[in-house]
Every structure is written in structure tokens, then in C-alpha cells.
Amino acid sequence: MWTKNAGHLTAYLITGLFVLVFVAFTFSGLFFLLYLAGQAAAAQPAGDEACLSCHSQPNLKTTRGEREISLYVDPQVMENSVHAQIACTSCHTGTQAFPHQKPVYGAELAREVTANCSQCHAQAGQDYQASIHGKLAAAGTAGTAYCSDCHGTHDIQPQDNPQALHNRANVVANCSRCHQGGVMEAYQWSFHGSANKLGYERAANCADCHTAHQILPASDPASSTHPDNLPARCVACHGGEPVANWAAGIEHTTIRDREKGFPLWITWKIFLLLIMVDIIKDLPIIILDLIKQIRGRRKGHGIQAGRTR
Amino acid sequence: MAANQKALELPVKIQRFNLQQRFQHAGMAISVLMLIITGFPIKYAAQDWAQYAVNLFGGFENMFHVHLAFGVIMILCALYHVIWLAYSFVTSRNKERKPVTYSPTDAFTKISHEYNRGPDIAMMPSYKDVRDAIQHIQYLLGLRPDPPQFDRYTWLEKFEYFAVIWGVIVMGFSGIMLWFPQLFVFWPRWALDVGRVVHTNEAFVAMLALVVGHFFAAHFSPKVFPTSRVWWDGTINREHLKEEHPLEYDRLVQEYKAKGMLVPDGEGHSPFSQSLPLMVVELIIYVAIFILLLWTFIPMLLV
């Protein structure tokens, strides 16, 4: 009997298997679609829909005095940032009511948001408040750096993202938005700065010596660049002992600064003299030699004399 | 006897540098050129072309490792040269001069004269070099009818040799200091900063001496254009030797004559290129380089 019905049995088994596979695929597909829908729903925190109903319009603008300010927020950028799950009003606490009571813009907005960052980022917020950037912000000084100046606004990314403002590839460029002039020029002239510019991310950037959140003037004993603390920053990369000599000398000077960088300046001048020796020794001899060769050739002698040179 | 007479003539090609010296030159040449290619993009990081050079090596880290590797090779070449000099002097002190040998069947090289006996003190500067330099410049300026009589090495060649020694010491030492700053903090850090000024500026001094001075003598002079042969097979033409190193040539002739060999008097035949367009084009290029360099560096010196 078994052997006789074996063909039928195989057919039943195969059909059954197909049905099972079909059902399994269909249901898993359905569940997957449900999962995607759930993800999509979760991507937009509750309440944001109301905000974006106006602020996702690219033409949304307001004017403050003479200035025209765009109020547009690209939902796609927001969704790609690390804060996709954070509601608009978690950071924009001043605009919870509609119509907005007292909306602020620019640096004022940055200060308002900065205060809210430490709701989650407590340690960073504490460090920032103790730093020169934070102290200046507390004193209401214009032009200081807020969280958003180094981390971005709606586009905040983790540090390992090449787009992040505080990614190792972008730190120097980001600091240079405010810090320009002699110090930045001297850094860019240094090996650290040159290597960094040429794409070497292991080369020390601003934050490696000055830290990210605890930046203080070198005169402050708590500063990472205070002479007592600077050697520790050097050996963090170079190894060896954090001896005081690491800090001996004025940082961020160039060969052109005769007063602060005198040892560099005088060395540069000595080597410029050597370069001049090169130029004055080599080129007139070459030029006169060529003239001699041309004249010797045109006169048809010189070689016959045997010893033209 | 008559059949052998030709064989006993002073050959057309005369050995000037032996294989040992040419290998040492090659090691130095390759390492220095690679150091220039991988080092100047760092010195001129602010210039746009620097990034292209870095991209050629597939990133800064690769280029920098190539730089460090050739730095080590250059230092090893220099150390080898010192050891070779010392060894050669010690072993050749009590040795007889090698006999003059010539194989008429050796059609491949036609090099007959075992002229080069390794290192000798001919490279040492002497009072004659100061006199030669003055007389050479007087001659070039048309203040003297005849050039000075140079020996095995001209004053310019000695200058280049000692410039290389100076360069290797300065570049090697400052380079190691920049490579391992943690080992040099017995000096204040500003001394490391000075080390970088030394390294990057001596690099320019050396590059200029190489590309302008040495390359003219060995490649671009119409006498040898496009290249001298001496760094490749170690030989120099008889006529060329006679013209550029007459004292050495005279000694060679005497040595040959003392052994009863023939020295052809090839007077009037020039071994050199006589291309007038080449000479004129080169003259224009070198005058332009001269003006450009003065234009660049005089203001820098005076700032």
C-alpha cells in the first residue's frame, strides 16, 4: 500500500509545503508592513505634526526689523538627525503655545535651546557652563559659542558621522568660523594643522588640546592648556612622560612673529640666507656658463682650446 | 705587436665611479627625490596642489609613512657611506695600485682603465679650490682668458658633496626629532618648533641645490643634455674628462705613457652637444628662474 500510494503522498506533501510557505510569506510580509508603519509613526514624535504643518513649508518666513528669517524646518533633515525622536517643543520650550507668545531668534534662540540641552546632556551642560564659552553666554556676551554652534541645530549627528560639525574632519573648520587670525594661522602652519588640512584625522585638532566642553583660557589653572596641564595633552598622543618642557614655549606663533616667536623667526632668516647662497651661487654660474657655451659655439672655437670650462 | 697597439690605446670611455659608488648615489638619489615628493606637500599644505599630491598616495597617512620610510633609507645610505669610506681607507692603505688592465675583446663596455680605486682624499677641500672658484668666476665674467685647471673634483663638485653631508645631518637629525618629539623633551618644546623650521627650510635649500645646481651639471647642461652617463655606467668620455678635469687627465696620460701605451691626441673633436636652440632656450629658462627666485626670496628676507 505504501509503495503504491507513495506518488500521491509525495504530491500531497509538496502541495502542503507550498501552502505553508505561501501562508508564512504572506503573514510575515503583512507583519513587516505593519512594523514599517509603526516605525514611520514612531519617527515623528507626537505634537510635531502640528509644528510641521506650518514649519515644513519652505517659504515660511518672518521679519525682525530689517532681517528676514526663514522659519523652515526640513522634516527629512530632522528625521535623519539623532534627535528624530525628540519633540520640537523639548528644545523649543518657548514656543509651546500657539500662537507663539514671545518667539526668539538667532543667538537668543541658541541660548534658550542651550539651557534645554542639559535636560538630557547633564554632564556636557555642566562642563559647558564652567567653560569660557558658557561663562560668556551667562554674561550675555555676544558672539560666544552655544551648543548649536558646534553640534548643529536640526541636523545634529553623532561625532563619527562625517557630516557632524564636531567630526574630527570638521573641528578646525568649525572653530575657524569664529576664531580667525594669528592663532588659527599659526595652527594651520604647524605640522598638526598641515596634516589635518590634508585629511589626516589623527593629527591634533583644536579640541585635542583645548577639550570640547571644558575650554578655558591657558591662564586659568583649570584649563587643559594651562602650563601645568598641557604636557598631559601632549603625551596623550605622543606617549612619554608629561614633563614640564612640553609646555615650554609660546604656542600658536609663526616664523613671521619676530617678538613672540623669535627662535623661529631667527632660524627662518638664517635658512633664507642659505637659500640666497644657493640662488646666488648656482644661477649666475649656470647663466654665465650657458652664455660662454653659446659664444664659444658661435665663434667656432673654445672646444679647440680644450678647456672651455 | 701591431695588432695589439690598438688595444693599448687610452679608451674612449674612462671609468670615473665604480659600482659601489653608483649604488650609493642611486640610494641617495631615490630616497631624496621621494622625500621631496612626499615632504613638500606637507610644507605647502595651504596650497591647492598639496591635496593632489596627497591623493596620489591615497591619503596623508600613506604619504607620510612613505616619507618616514625613505627618511630611514636616506640615513642608512649615509651611514653606509661613512662605513664604506672608513673600510676602504683602512683596506687600501697598504695595497698596491691595481694594474692597468684592458681586454680588447670586451666590446660591451670598452672600459679599459681600472682608473677608479675607490675613495681617496681628492674630495677634500684645499686652498686650490678657493683659487679655482675665484678664477672660474673671473673666467666666466670674461676677466680671464682661460679657466682654471680642475683636478678630479671641481670646486663646485666638492661644494655639492659637502652640501649633501650637511643636508643629511641637518635633515636626519631634525627629522628624527620631529618623528619622536617625546624623546626630545629634554629640550623645551620651542626647540621642537625650531626643529620644524629647520627641517622644512633646509628641505628647500637642498631641493634648490639639487634641482637647480646639481641637475644642471648632470642633466640640463647642453654638454650632457639630457643626462650625463656617469651616474649610470660610471664612465666619462675621454674628451670630456680632458676638458673638465685636465689635471686628472694629464696624470692619466702620464700613467699610460709610462706603461708604454698610446694616447691619441683627439684635439679639435668635441664630445659635447652643440645645439644652439637648446642653449638659448635654457638660457631663457634659467634667467627666468633666477629672477623668480630673487623676486620671491629677497622680500621674505627683508620682512
Side-chain angles (χ1 to χ4, degrees):
Chain A
M1 256 226 354
W2 271 115
T3 44
K4 204 177 175 186
N5 293 328
H8 292 283
L9 192 69
T10 312
Y12 281 128
L13 275 174
I14 289 171
T15 313
L17 205 65
F18 266 94
V19 170
L20 267 173
V21 167
F22 177 77
V23 169
F25 265 84
T26 312
F27 274 89
S28 60
L30 275 172
F31 280 123
F32 185 66
L33 284 174
L34 279 172
Y35 168 77
L36 280 184
Q39 279 292 99
Q44 210 179 68
D48 280 11
E49 208 178 312
C51 300
L52 288 172
S53 64
C54 295
H55 286 281
S56 64
Q57 290 167 26
N59 297 325
L60 190 65
K61 283 177 193 134
T62 185
T63 45
R64 264 290 160 108
E66 297 292 299
R67 232 154 38 99
E68 196 170 69
I69 298 165
S70 169
L71 299 173
Y72 169 59
V73 176
D74 187 340
Q76 199 58 47
V77 166
M78 191 66 224
E79 220 168 276
N80 289 335
S81 85
V82 286
H83 287 161
Q85 302 296 316
I86 309 295
C88 301
T89 49
S90 302
C91 299
H92 296 278
T93 44
T95 50
Q96 277 166 336
F98 186 84
H100 307 318
Q101 296 305 307
K102 267 188 177 178
V104 286
Y105 303 100
E108 274 179 88
L109 174 62
R111 182 162 42 205
E112 180 193 288
V113 174
T114 291
N116 298 327
C117 292
S118 43
Q119 298 290 329
C120 300
H121 305 280
Q123 185 60 48
Q126 204 179 315
D127 290 344
Y128 169 79
Q129 275 163 19
S131 80
I132 188 69
H133 288 149
K135 284 176 185 172
L136 290 172
T141 313
T144 190
Y146 298 99
C147 301
S148 53
D149 286 307
C150 303
H151 293 277
T153 55
H154 301 122
D155 54 350
I156 296 182
Q157 295 292 343
Q159 197 185 5
D160 55 10
N161 184 320
Q163 302 297 316
L165 292 177
H166 61 313
N167 181 274
R168 289 195 68 86
N170 306 327
V171 167
V172 175
N174 196 53
C175 295
S176 315
R177 285 163 60 208
C178 301
H179 298 278
Q180 286 164 1
V183 167
M184 197 52 87
E185 276 170 31
Y187 169 75
Q188 273 155 359
W189 170 83
S190 76
F191 178 78
H192 289 156
S194 302
N196 187 290
K197 182 172 188 299
L198 296 174
Y200 188 48
E201 290 176 16
R202 276 179 65 199
N205 61 38
C206 311
D208 287 312
C209 299
H210 293 277
T211 75
H213 295 133
Q214 296 158 294
I215 301 172
L216 283 166
S219 55
D220 190 323
S223 167
S224 63
T225 53
H226 185 273
D228 290 348
N229 305 326
L230 189 58
R233 308 306 302 178
C234 302
V235 301
C237 299
H238 289 285
E241 294 297 312
V243 293
N245 262 343
W246 279 114
I250 296 164
E251 187 49 81
H252 299 318
T253 55
T254 65
I255 48 176
R256 286 169 195 273
D257 191 338
R258 187 177 178 171
E259 282 172 24
K260 284 186 191 166
F262 184 76
L264 307 184
W265 180 85
I266 193 73
T267 313
W268 181 51
K269 291 292 167 177
I270 290 167
F271 277 92
L272 277 176
L273 278 176
L274 281 179
I275 289 172
M276 288 308 293
V277 169
D278 257 359
I279 297 170
I280 305 261
K281 178 183 98 39
D282 287 346
L283 282 154
I285 288 178
I286 291 171
I287 289 164
L288 291 172
D289 189 278
L290 282 167
I291 292 170
K292 210 81 182 171
Q293 287 189 41
I294 291 168
R295 291 183 62 180
R297 189 192 173 279
R298 287 178 70 191
K299 282 179 187 165
H301 66 77
I303 298 298
Q304 281 90 333
R307 283 132 203 205
T308 42
R309 198 169 163 180
Chain B
M1 192 66 198
N4 284 337
Q5 250 180 13
K6 197 170 184 298
L8 293 168
E9 267 190 7
L10 184 65
V12 174
K13 286 181 176 182
I14 289 167
Q15 189 80 20
R16 186 161 162 78
F17 292 120
N18 65 21
L19 193 62
Q20 176 71 252
Q21 288 166 313
R22 277 176 277 144
F23 264 116
Q24 291 183 29
H25 173 265
M28 213 61 200
I30 292 166
S31 56
V32 169
L33 286 174
M34 287 306 291
L35 285 166
I36 290 173
I37 291 168
T38 56
F40 273 69
I42 308 175
K43 177 173 164 66
Y44 292 104
Q47 311 286 325
D48 289 338
W49 57 263
Q51 193 64 55
Y52 292 104
V54 170
N55 294 345
L56 275 181
F57 289 88
F60 180 89
E61 196 158 12
N62 291 349
M63 187 183 79
F64 192 52
H65 285 158
V66 171
H67 188 78
L68 296 177
F70 278 102
V72 171
I73 291 170
M74 186 198 75
I75 291 170
L76 290 179
C77 285
L79 290 177
Y80 180 82
H81 179 68
V82 173
I83 293 165
W84 171 77
L85 272 184
Y87 174 81
S88 304
F89 274 122
V90 169
T91 54
S92 66
R93 181 172 289 168
N94 300 317
K95 211 191 272 180
E96 276 287 299
R97 282 179 150 199
K98 277 186 187 171
V100 175
T101 55
Y102 175 51
S103 158
T105 54
D106 189 359
F108 176 62
T109 56
K110 286 191 188 166
I111 298 161
S112 60
H113 187 58
E114 265 296 331
Y115 174 72
N116 193 286
R117 288 173 297 274
D120 50 33
I121 57 165
M123 192 56 95
M124 291 309 288
S126 64
Y127 168 67
K128 183 183 182 298
D129 295 310
V130 180
R131 210 180 52 208
D132 279 359
I134 295 166
Q135 291 183 354
H136 188 196
I137 289 159
Q138 284 175 333
Y139 166 72
L140 288 175
L141 289 170
L143 302 173
R144 275 176 63 93
D146 293 309
Q149 304 271 292
F150 294 125
D151 207 333
R152 177 161 169 79
Y153 300 113
T154 70
W155 70 280
L156 283 168
E157 287 165 343
K158 291 183 186 184
F159 201 103
E160 276 184 18
Y161 178 76
F162 287 99
V164 171
I165 290 181
W166 153 263
V168 167
I169 291 170
V170 171
M171 295 307 284
F173 195 71
S174 59
I176 288 170
M177 202 165 101
L178 295 171
W179 191 355
F180 303 106
Q182 66 273 30
L183 302 181
F184 287 85
V185 279
F186 51 84
W187 282 341
R189 203 220 35 245
W190 61 259
L192 294 174
D193 296 341
V194 168
R196 176 166 153 80
V197 179
V198 169
H199 197 74
T200 54
N201 284 279
E202 170 61 21
F204 199 92
V205 173
M207 186 277 289
L208 215 53
L210 175 67
V211 174
V212 177
H214 186 59
F215 275 18
F216 181 77
H219 295 290
F220 301 131
S221 169
K223 291 181 176 181
V224 295
F225 189 84
T227 182
S228 152
R229 206 177 53 227
V230 76
W231 60 272
W232 178 249
D233 68 2
T235 65
I236 184 169
N237 279 355
R238 189 172 60 202
E239 303 299 323
H240 195 155
L241 184 75
K242 183 178 177 181
E243 183 162 316
E244 291 208 329
H245 306 280
L247 293 182
E248 184 184 30
Y249 178 80
D250 291 346
R251 265 205 314 281
L252 189 65
V253 165
Q254 276 172 12
E255 198 176 312
Y256 262 78
K257 282 183 174 164
K259 289 181 190 287
M261 298 178 194
L262 296 177
V263 177
D265 54 341
E267 295 284 355
H269 155 255
S270 170
F272 301 134
S273 153
Q274 295 270 57
S275 166
L276 187 62
L278 179 67
M279 290 175 181
V280 173
V281 166
E282 284 198 14
L283 183 63
I284 293 165
I285 290 171
Y286 278 102
V287 168
I289 292 173
F290 189 40
I291 293 168
L292 182 74
L293 287 173
L294 289 179
W295 195 267
T296 310
F297 284 99
I298 287 178
M300 269 196 203
L301 192 64
L302 299 179
V303 161

